[in-house]
Each structure stands twice: as structure tokens, then as C-alpha cells.
Amino acid sequence: MIQPADIPAAPQENDALPAVQPSAETLALLARRRSTKALLIAEPGPDRAQLDTLLRLAARVPDHGKLGPWRFLVLEGDGRVRAGAAIADALGADAPDPAFERARFLRAPVVVTVISTAAPHPKIPEWEQVLSAGAACFALVTAAHAMGFAGCWLTETPTYDARARAALGLADHERIAGFIYLGTATAPPTERARPEAASRTSWF
Ligand SMILES: Cc1cc2nc3c(=O)[nH]c(=O)nc-3n(C[C@H](O)[C@H](O)[C@H](O)COP(=O)(O)O)c2cc1C
């Protein structure tokens, strides 16, 4: 497991940064990265210091206009129970499976809700703000893998129900970019079919 102390501290604005350096380890991680199904994610999850570091890294995503058009809502410990109960209560009889709804977030020790706060802006299109939130999701799950944790990016029904979003404290204009489930895999993953880049690439 990589510890927060092993990761460079946050640079300050205008600090000189190292030139781009080749990283075979990063390429190997991307070449074989794989999500872990939520049901196969168990304790331990990242502790507070590890999570703080992961969120700091996720917040370094490309972000047109330096808006930071996302925020993180961490569900851990009893917070996972309270969040599930709040959503189940908000959905009431409309919840397809109330018991699952209450236990939804207990599938992993830590669930980070990545919330897009995209809003109209005079210069930065909302589309670009939303994309930045998606990038934050990928950065978070990838950084977690690099730290030694299993993870997956899910949306599922709460993402698309305004009552569920309100129950988690989202404002009307906010959207859930993803719930990032984090912990330790109980079984190694296997590869899935992948879209072939070449068949989706054209040259102008
Ligand atoms: C925005 C977004 C939402 C997703 N939501 C779900 C989901 O709700 N349920 C699910 O099974 N997979 C979902 N996925 C897919 C998984 O995150 C994952 O990509 C997939 O299981 C394949 O694993 P891989 O990451 O190893 O490619 C979502 C992916 C994205 C990008």
C-alpha cells in the first residue's frame, strides 16, 4: 500500500514543477486497470489521511477557468447507513427494493459521491464543467488503484432521481457524476471485452 507520505505534497501556485517524466508504472496501470464490482469490495478502505490524499489528487483534473466545478460528498461508516436511509425515505413506495436502497452504500467501506456543480458561466460552457467532473471520477478511481485500493464508478438510480439527490443534500442544479466505491478486492478481477480504439479512430 502506498502511504500519503510517499506522495509529493501539493505544489503551490507558480511553483516550478518537474518536467514531464516517462512512467512505465503509470502506463502499466492504465494498460491493465480494471474496476472491481461493488459486491467484491470489502474492508479495508482508505483511511482519512489516504482519502484526503486521493481527493487532493482527484481535484487536480483539467478544469477550464479554474472553477472547480465539482465537490465531493464522502459516505463512510454510519454515514453510509444514513445516506441509504435518507434516499429510501425520500423514494418511499417508489423505491424498487427498499431494503437494497438502505444498504446500497454498505457495499464498500468508503463511497465518494462526485457531484457536478456545473452552472451557467459567461465564458466556460456547462458541458466543459461536466466533463471536468467526469475526469475527477476517473482520476479518483485511478489514484485509488495506484494507492492499492479496488474501486468502481457507479451511478445507479439515485443519480437520476431528484428526490434522492435532494436527500443527499444536492442543490437543484447539481448532478451526481458518480459514486466511487473504494475498498479492497475480495477476488482478483478478470478482463472484460474492450472497445477497440482503432475501430473508433479516424484521421483527418
Ligand atoms: C458515468 C459512469 C457511470 C457508470 N455507472 C455504472 C453503474 O451504475 N453500474 C455499473 O454496473 N457500471 C457502471 N459504470 C461502469 C463501471 O464504472 C465500469 O467502467 C465497468 O464496470 C467496466 O469496468 P472497467 O472500469 O474495468 O472498464 C459506469 C461508468 C461510467 C463512466
Side-chain angles (χ1 to χ4, degrees):
M1 186 69 67
I2 310 280
Q3 293 301 327
D6 301 322
I7 298 169
Q12 300 302 305
E13 189 174 15
N14 297 325
D15 277 357
L17 293 170
V20 168
Q21 291 168 338
S23 167
E25 281 189 51
T26 304
L27 295 174
L29 185 149
L30 291 173
R32 293 185 301 199
R33 60 154 293 279
R34 184 73 172 94
S35 298
T36 299
K37 290 184 194 321
L39 284 171
L40 298 179
I41 298 178
E43 300 280 355
D47 63 22
R48 181 57 67 94
Q50 290 168 324
L51 198 51
D52 284 346
T53 302
L54 292 174
L55 297 178
R56 168 167 71 83
L57 300 181
R60 288 183 65 80
V61 285
D63 162 19
H64 193 177
K66 301 184 214 170
L67 300 179
W70 22 256
R71 64 186 181 91
F72 305 118
L73 173 66
V74 179
L75 313 177
E76 63 169 357
D78 289 347
R80 296 169 303 162
V81 177
R82 289 195 303 275
I87 292 175
D89 291 346
L91 298 185
D94 291 340
D97 180 347
F100 174 77
E101 212 52 70
R102 287 181 189 278
R104 168 184 297 285
F105 300 119
L106 294 175
R107 290 175 289 174
V110 175
V111 182
V112 178
T113 318
V114 180
I115 299 168
S116 164
T117 58
H121 185 279
K123 290 193 178 149
I124 314 298
E126 281 184 72
W127 169 239
E128 299 186 11
Q129 299 177 46
V130 172
L131 290 173
S132 184
C137 290
F138 186 63
L140 178 56
V141 80
T142 305
H145 288 168
M147 196 180 269
F149 292 104
C152 68
W153 173 358
L154 303 182
T155 41
E156 301 181 318
T157 49
T159 298
Y160 301 105
D161 191 297
R163 295 166 297 180
R165 294 196 297 268
L168 291 180
L170 273 70
D172 282 351
H173 74 284
E174 293 182 320
R175 290 289 176 275
I176 293 168
F179 294 104
I180 311 299
Y181 285 67
L182 297 174
T184 300
T186 55
T190 54
E191 178 60 332
R192 73 178 336 221
R194 296 283 165 187
E196 209 189 314
S199 66
R200 289 163 172 76
T201 306
S202 53
W203 305 85
F204 195 79

